[in-house]
């Protein structure tokens, strides 16, 4: 009996993060449109790293269900299915895939994974709403959401951007 307790204690004490066992990530086009979704009040600086998703994938997702709460759940930004009281925005950027990185915990920094380099450790740490496998986590179902990228604001905004109220994006 004490052996099973010892095995359990060793397993719980392990710092090892389980590896991702998801399907290969899709390779994005050389130039693509990505979207950052956040509360209207959220402001960032030039060196801030943001989590972004493909605008095309986000648009397809909201065409199925036009509720803001559901979109935020699929992005891992909200647990509740009630509509949020606070306002959200969608910021759209056109970028080269070279400015993006994939937030995958067990990947080597700079390792190219399906056309995009893995983020270095500081930017790839698990964040709310992600599983550390390059996808958002759907907080309603617990499954995977959208393919996730990270990039610095200064690189994303280099060619301009468009800010929309989330409610407008959902129409």
């Amino acid at each position: 009996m004490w052996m099973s307790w010892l095995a359990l204690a060793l397993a719980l004490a392990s710092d090892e993060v389980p590896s991702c066992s998801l399907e290969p990530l899709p390779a994005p086009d050389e130039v693509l449109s990505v979207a950052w979704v956040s509360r209207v009040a959220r402001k960032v600086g030039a060196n801030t790293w943001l989590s972004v998703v493909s605008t095309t994938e986000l648009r397809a997702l909201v065409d199925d269900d036009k509720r803001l709460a559901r979109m935020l759940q699929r992005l891992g930004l909200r647990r509740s299915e009630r509509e949020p009281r606070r306002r959200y925005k969608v910021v759209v950027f056109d970028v080269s895939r070279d400015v993006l990185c994939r937030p995958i915990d067990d990947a080597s920094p700079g390792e190219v994974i399906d056309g995009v380099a893995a983020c270095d450790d500081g930017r790839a740490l698990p964040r709310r709403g992600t599983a550390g496998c390059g996808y958002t986590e759907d907080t309603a179902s617990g499954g995977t959401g959208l393919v996730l990228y990270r990039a610095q604001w200064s690189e994303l905004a280099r060619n301009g951007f468009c800010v929309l109220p989330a409610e407008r994006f959902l129409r």
Side-chain angles (χ1 to χ4, degrees):
M1 170 108 174
W2 67 272
M3 290 296 278
S4 60
W5 284 107
L6 178 62
L8 177 62
L10 288 173
L12 292 174
S14 173
D15 290 339
E16 193 171 315
V17 176
S19 64
C20 299
S21 60
L22 300 172
E23 295 295 315
L25 295 163
D29 294 334
E30 287 290 326
V31 177
L32 70 151
S33 176
V34 294
W36 171 53
V37 179
S38 72
R39 289 185 180 154
V40 168
R42 171 99 194 272
K43 294 177 178 29
V44 296
N47 295 322
T48 304
W49 285 86
L50 303 176
S51 294
V52 296
V53 296
S54 162
T55 306
T56 304
E57 286 185 36
L58 184 60
R59 188 73 240 158
L61 176 137
V62 300
D63 282 345
D64 291 341
D65 188 339
K66 299 206 179 284
R67 294 180 308 125
L68 177 59
R70 187 63 187 121
M71 179 179 82
L72 296 174
Q73 285 178 321
R74 288 184 173 153
L75 292 171
L77 298 175
R78 184 173 175 85
R79 291 193 185 281
S80 173
E81 58 187 48
R82 288 181 296 144
E83 290 300 310
R85 289 185 207 152
R86 294 185 176 156
R87 294 179 34 204
Y88 281 79
K89 66 182 177 285
V90 177
V91 184
V92 178
F93 308 91
D94 280 330
V95 297
S96 165
R97 75 175 174 195
D98 297 338
V99 305
L100 303 173
C101 68
R102 293 192 190 273
I104 300 176
D105 293 341
D106 58 355
S108 300
E111 173 187 353
V112 177
I113 301 169
D114 299 312
V116 179
C119 300
D120 71 27
D121 295 336
R123 295 177 298 238
L125 294 174
R127 287 169 172 62
R128 182 176 155 207
T130 71
C133 294
Y135 286 92
T136 64
E137 181 181 359
D138 186 331
T139 56
S141 70
T144 58
L146 299 176
V147 175
L148 185 65
Y149 304 101
R150 302 247 324 137
Q152 268 186 317
W153 170 266
S154 58
E155 293 294 328
L156 290 168
R158 180 169 292 172
N159 295 323
F161 54 92
C162 176
V163 181
L164 297 166
E167 293 80 12
R168 173 70 177 108
F169 185 82
L170 290 168
R171 289 188 206 151

